[in-house]
Amino acid sequence: MPAAAQDELQTALGLHRSGQLEAAARLYRQVLAAAPARPDIWQMLGLAEFTQGHLPQALEAFDAAARLVPGDAGVAFNRGLVLHQAGRSQEALEAFESVLSRQPAHPKAPLMKAQALHALGRIDEAVRWLDAAATSAADPVPLWLLQGEWLHGLHDHAGAAEAYRRVLGRQPTHADALCNLGSCLLRAGRAGEAVDVLSQALRVAPAQADLWFNHGLALARLQRRVEAEQSLGEALRLAPGLAVAWTQRGLVRSALRRLDAAVADFEQALRIDPGQGEAWAALGHARLDLGDAPAAVDAYQKALAIAPQTDFLLDALALARARLCDWRHAQADREAIEAAIRRGSPLVSPARIFALMDRPDLLLPAARSYVTHLRLPAALTAPAFRPAGRRLRIGYFSADLHAHATAFLMARLFERHDRERFEIVGFQLGPARRDAMHERLRAAFDEFHDIDALDDVTAARLARERGLQIAVDLKGLSLHARPGVFAARAAPLQVAYLGYPCTLGADWMDYLVADATVVPPDARAHYSEKIITLPGSYQVNDETRACPAPPPRSQVGLPEDAFVFCSLNSPYKITAEVFATWMALLRDVPGSVLWQLDGGEGPRQHLLQAAASQGIDPSRIRFAPLLDPQAHLARIGCADLFLDTLPCNAHTSASDALWMGVPVVTLAGAGFAGRVGASLLQAAGLPELICPTLADYRQTALALATQPGRLLALKRHLAGQRHVLPLFDSGRFTRHLECAFEMIWQRHSAGLPPEHVDVPAD
């Protein structure tokens, strides 16, 4: 090579080392013009062009080098890199295989062969190749890391975890392996192990935001929400632009019922990434829980526009509109939900749709899909269940052990249980409220445990340690429910009761307490549970509560001399069809008024507009503000007749009305939630007020409104028989439920599986 060319080569190499690649490439070409047979310079030119992203020029250079030294593994490897980068994966694969045929111990070719196989879609083959190559590689760690990444992408979490554990066997403090192993464990539903691994990773790399993020997710999965909030906060301190971390912290704060803080997090996530559908959906949920249904509808619509297949959006939007009594889209919403259930996606929450659709045939598949989605823990194998002693130990699990409708119904049952045959244990699921009812309930239990801060598995283990034979779930899939406690098997037998009028669709819930009205024998196929059929009504009541005198009508905003139809139900239960029937009744009964529970400005305005559109003076719609339970109970007596709703009947509100001597006219639907009114009326001795159609419903209500003597007879029946009606006989109910518990335990003790049980009447 001429001296001048040699000087240019040295200058080119210096430019290359300093990163001046374009100038270096230009000089390499000048040198090659004088010395075209130098493969090393063609190699350097190829590397300079490749680093700049000039793939055709790089390939041309490496091809020239390969012609000069056709057996050189280094040239073949570099050529393979360019082909891989150019998307010519089959040629790249052939290049890397040629390298390995010449130099089996090449340090990087095994990894790149796997990459080429992966790019060709031969993923299983790529994973197997990595496994084989790792056995002879001087440094198998990069191969295992890549294998773990791909297996994770294939949802083979166990295989991925094994790959990462191999890395940690060589390098116990490898931060990426620890992080990825924790992520695998989390996605495999092993959140407890994930927390341990990620905690170890954080000791190695405390400034790594994604570690704190995954740590927070794992803690949230374990219901360790305060710690989860702290970990996600640390992730955000390190990476304030991580939109998904704002969303996840908002979800944790929502679960902690810190809804304003949650909204702030969701809004910050959306400022960073307005296209994040999950954040819009979560914002909608929080807004809805805060009572701002219009803002919730807006957020849900944005989420659907971005990601229409997002789970739990269709039903959330439909419920938000129902809370506003905005029925313009009701039919389309129901059709969309039905189509989603039949397809199996997107998922919908059965806890929302039972109030919107009287379709038990759809509720069961929806519940099954929902419960599967929850990724709940597997049943525990230890500690073993304790054999029953002289008394059966019954655990009642609820988040409503305070001044709540469930507690008002259940309190007397807890007190009346026969302590010679039963021990009663209370388990607090959600945040405890220390009010007078809470103290009354705690005094009624033989034991009481607050498990709100425990994860599902720990809570189930505690229940086992306390020797429960039967666990009674009073929440189902509603707010603050803990289905994971029951998935982990808190007791040998598990029974759903009262708080959730629907099937759970889960194989770990053995029984559902019902009666022959809410779940007739021919409807049992729509329930995953075996049905305990009680005589009378499934609903327990407390006959020791007061029956306060009603205040003057003027005090609650009602005319003294008008006939008062009332529906002191939550507004979301009202449908356009039912409301139209109510307006027809107002037309039929001159001067009458409709008294409706006030759900806020949105539903109030929609109801008034709907009334006006049907020719009814909006002043004939009166709204009852929220009051404390005792004052609310008293004012019910100001009404003449209670009008029920469908597809979701009044439940506690209906029994409150009957207790106060106000007859209830109900529509009997197909599902549990739509047959509660019928159950209550049967047990109150008023089956004639159960109507199969809207036409019958209207005619029955009209007859009572226009025949004062008939209405008075019904009121006298309720007032005079209040303390002997089966509906309000808590002693009778307690005996029947205890009989049911003994019947199902006897089956279990005999080694028989759960089966439908009909409890005999006294």
Side-chain angles (χ1 to χ4, degrees):
M1 177 188 297
Q6 185 63 45
D7 291 341
E8 286 181 328
L9 176 59
Q10 293 305 313
T11 301
L13 292 171
L15 290 168
H16 197 151
R17 285 191 294 270
S18 67
Q20 300 178 64
L21 300 176
E22 185 176 356
R26 188 165 49 249
L27 280 177
Y28 287 141
R29 292 186 185 282
Q30 291 178 16
V31 172
L32 286 166
R38 289 283 300 271
D40 57 329
I41 303 176
W42 284 110
Q43 279 262 66
M44 295 306 297
L45 173 61
L47 291 171
E49 297 287 14
F50 180 61
T51 306
Q52 294 179 84
H54 301 160
L55 301 184
Q57 294 88 338
L59 186 60
E60 181 183 355
F62 289 132
D63 282 344
R67 286 191 291 272
L68 293 170
V69 282
D72 188 275
V75 172
F77 179 78
N78 287 334
R79 185 172 177 275
L81 289 178
V82 177
L83 290 166
H84 180 68
Q85 191 69 24
R88 294 162 63 177
S89 303
Q90 182 60 44
E91 295 171 82
L93 175 63
E94 293 166 1
F96 296 131
E97 287 179 333
S98 73
V99 172
L100 290 167
S101 68
R102 298 164 189 158
Q103 189 178 338
H106 191 285
K108 295 180 179 179
L111 189 68
M112 292 312 303
K113 175 182 175 179
Q115 293 276 23
L117 286 167
H118 190 275
L120 287 166
R122 293 157 62 180
I123 300 173
D124 290 340
E125 188 178 348
V127 169
R128 289 195 300 273
W129 164 251
L130 285 172
D131 210 31
T135 60
S136 58
D139 180 13
V141 166
L143 304 180
W144 287 330
L145 285 172
L146 189 59
Q147 185 183 42
E149 177 187 335
W150 289 346
L151 288 169
H152 196 175
L154 292 169
H155 304 291
D156 181 357
H157 303 304
E162 177 59 29
Y164 294 132
R165 286 195 173 97
R166 289 173 182 168
V167 174
L168 295 169
R170 288 281 187 104
Q171 300 179 25
T173 60
H174 195 293
D176 286 343
L178 287 166
C179 180
N180 293 340
L181 175 58
S183 180
C184 280
L185 293 169
L186 178 61
R187 282 154 184 78
R190 297 158 64 182
E193 295 173 70
V195 167
D196 293 340
V197 169
L198 293 166
S199 297
Q200 182 182 349
L202 285 168
R203 289 191 287 272
V204 175
Q208 198 164 319
D210 58 339
L211 281 176
W212 285 107
F213 176 73
N214 282 332
H215 192 249
L217 292 184
L219 288 165
R221 188 73 59 80
L222 293 170
Q223 284 88 44
R224 292 164 60 180
R225 298 186 182 104
V226 173
E227 298 168 83
E229 182 182 22
Q230 294 168 349
S231 289
L232 291 166
E234 187 63 17
L236 289 167
R237 186 186 68 80
L238 294 166
L242 190 60
V244 68
W246 288 102
T247 300
Q248 292 301 320
R249 190 175 73 170
L251 291 170
V252 168
R253 287 175 161 178
S254 287
L256 290 167
R257 309 311 291 165
R258 295 175 53 200
L259 296 173
D260 289 325
V263 165
D265 279 354
F266 298 140
E267 289 177 339
Q268 178 61 20
L270 291 165
R271 279 191 284 272
I272 297 168
D273 179 9
Q276 193 185 160
E278 183 184 12
W280 281 114
L283 177 61
H285 300 329
R287 290 291 193 194
L288 193 61
D289 286 346
L290 284 167
D292 190 352
V297 169
D298 179 69
Y300 291 144
Q301 288 174 330
K302 287 184 170 67
L304 281 170
I306 294 167
Q309 292 302 304
T310 299
D311 291 335
F312 312 120
L313 262 183
L314 293 174
D315 50 304
L317 176 58
L319 182 60
R321 287 170 170 159
R323 287 192 180 180
L324 286 169
C325 299
D326 180 357
W327 306 311
R328 293 171 295 175
H329 308 279
Q331 183 60 34
D333 285 343
R334 287 192 292 268
E335 290 172 358
I337 290 169
E338 177 175 351
I341 294 170
R342 295 195 183 283
R343 287 194 308 268
S345 70
L347 296 178
V348 298
S349 168
R352 295 192 185 112
I353 64 172
F354 76 73
L356 305 172
M357 306 172 69
D358 187 30
R359 294 291 302 276
D361 60 314
L362 296 178
L363 285 169
L364 178 57
R368 282 178 169 153
S369 296
Y370 178 80
V371 168
T372 301
H373 159 84
L374 293 178
R375 293 179 295 185
L376 300 172
L380 291 169
T381 56
F385 294 122
R386 283 164 40 184
R390 181 176 62 85
R391 299 185 292 172
L392 281 180
R393 288 179 65 84
I394 312 296
Y396 287 97
F397 293 72
S398 179
D400 303 322
L401 301 176
H402 53 262
H404 181 277
T406 297
F408 290 125
L409 294 174
M410 295 283 295
R412 192 65 179 141
L413 169 67
F414 299 146
E415 293 167 343
R416 297 199 72 149
H417 268 304
D418 182 353
R419 277 356 194 239
E420 292 296 316
R421 294 152 54 213
F422 299 92
E423 290 181 87
I424 308 304
V425 185
F427 291 87
Q428 174 76 40
L429 295 181
R433 300 183 194 174
R434 309 291 180 181
D435 56 20
M437 176 57 79
H438 181 78
E439 296 308 315
R440 177 185 173 186
L441 297 180
R442 288 197 65 154
F445 292 119
D446 297 305
E447 288 182 22
F448 184 84
H449 301 278
D450 188 336
I451 60 172
D452 180 48
L454 302 183
D455 65 78
D456 291 337
V457 170
T458 303
R461 187 175 289 116
L462 172 65
R464 286 177 173 232
E465 289 168 352
R466 301 315 303 149
L468 296 190
Q469 273 80 50
I470 299 174
V472 183
D473 178 15
L474 299 174
K475 291 303 296 179
L477 299 176
S478 57
L479 180 65
H480 294 309
R482 295 284 297 275
V485 174
F486 302 96
R489 272 283 165 190
L493 290 178
Q494 302 188 143
V495 178
Y497 178 52
L498 192 67
Y500 184 67
C502 190
T503 182
L504 272 74
D507 57 8
W508 36 259
M509 189 57 67
D510 303 303
Y511 291 98
L512 172 66
V513 177
D515 59 54
T517 301
V518 289
V519 184
D522 60 1
R524 289 173 174 173
H526 300 313
Y527 297 81
S528 60
E529 305 86 353
K530 298 303 181 183
I531 304 300
I532 294 173
T533 301
L534 298 180
S537 176
Y538 84 102
Q539 189 190 91
V540 65
N541 276 275
D542 180 2
E543 82 286 357
T544 67
R545 62 178 169 166
C547 184
R553 280 186 168 185
S554 59
Q555 189 174 314
V556 294
L558 295 173
E560 293 290 351
D561 56 352
F563 190 92
V564 177
F565 295 103
C566 82
S567 178
L568 298 175
N569 258 327
S570 296
Y572 73 86
K573 295 185 179 183
I574 306 171
T575 64
E577 297 80 9
V578 167
F579 191 75
T581 302
W582 295 350
M583 295 304 95
L585 286 168
L586 293 189
R587 285 193 297 272
D588 293 339
V589 183
S592 61
V593 298
L594 173 69
W595 195 25
Q596 169 60 42
L597 197 65
D598 192 350
E601 180 67 18
R604 189 163 57 244
Q605 289 305 314
H606 279 109
L607 290 175
L608 293 175
Q609 290 166 10
S613 72
Q614 296 178 53
I616 298 299
D617 183 345
S619 67
R620 296 176 67 187
I621 312 297
R622 304 300 176 91
F623 293 96
L626 295 177
L627 295 179
D628 67 77
Q630 194 67 10
H632 172 67
L633 193 64
R635 72 178 172 184
I636 294 172
C638 295
D640 291 302
L641 186 63
F642 189 108
L643 300 175
D644 206 357
T645 49
L646 190 74
C648 187
N649 292 164
H651 295 185
T652 307
S653 297
S655 54
D656 284 348
L658 294 169
W659 177 255
M660 292 303 298
V662 179
V664 176
V665 179
T666 191
L667 273 165
F672 193 132
R675 298 182 64 82
V676 170
S679 169
L680 302 179
L681 287 169
Q682 289 279 10
L686 298 175
E688 67 270 27
L689 302 186
I690 303 168
C691 304
T693 68
L694 269 174
D696 293 324
Y697 173 86
R698 176 181 174 182
Q699 190 57 44
T700 301
L702 179 59
L704 292 174
T706 55
Q707 299 174 29
R710 183 178 172 192
L711 180 63
L712 181 60
L714 296 181
K715 290 187 171 186
R716 284 175 174 168
H717 166 79
L718 290 170
Q721 302 293 311
R722 181 181 294 119
H723 290 286
V724 296
L725 290 172
L727 179 61
F728 301 118
D729 188 344
S730 65
R732 178 180 184 272
F733 180 91
T734 303
R735 291 193 301 275
H736 291 155
L737 187 64
E738 289 176 342
C739 179
F741 288 157
E742 289 174 331
M743 290 173 73
I744 64 174
W745 184 252
Q746 287 168 6
R747 282 191 62 83
H748 177 78
S749 299
L752 298 173
E755 189 49 83
H756 300 302
V757 170
D758 292 316
V759 177
D762 291 340

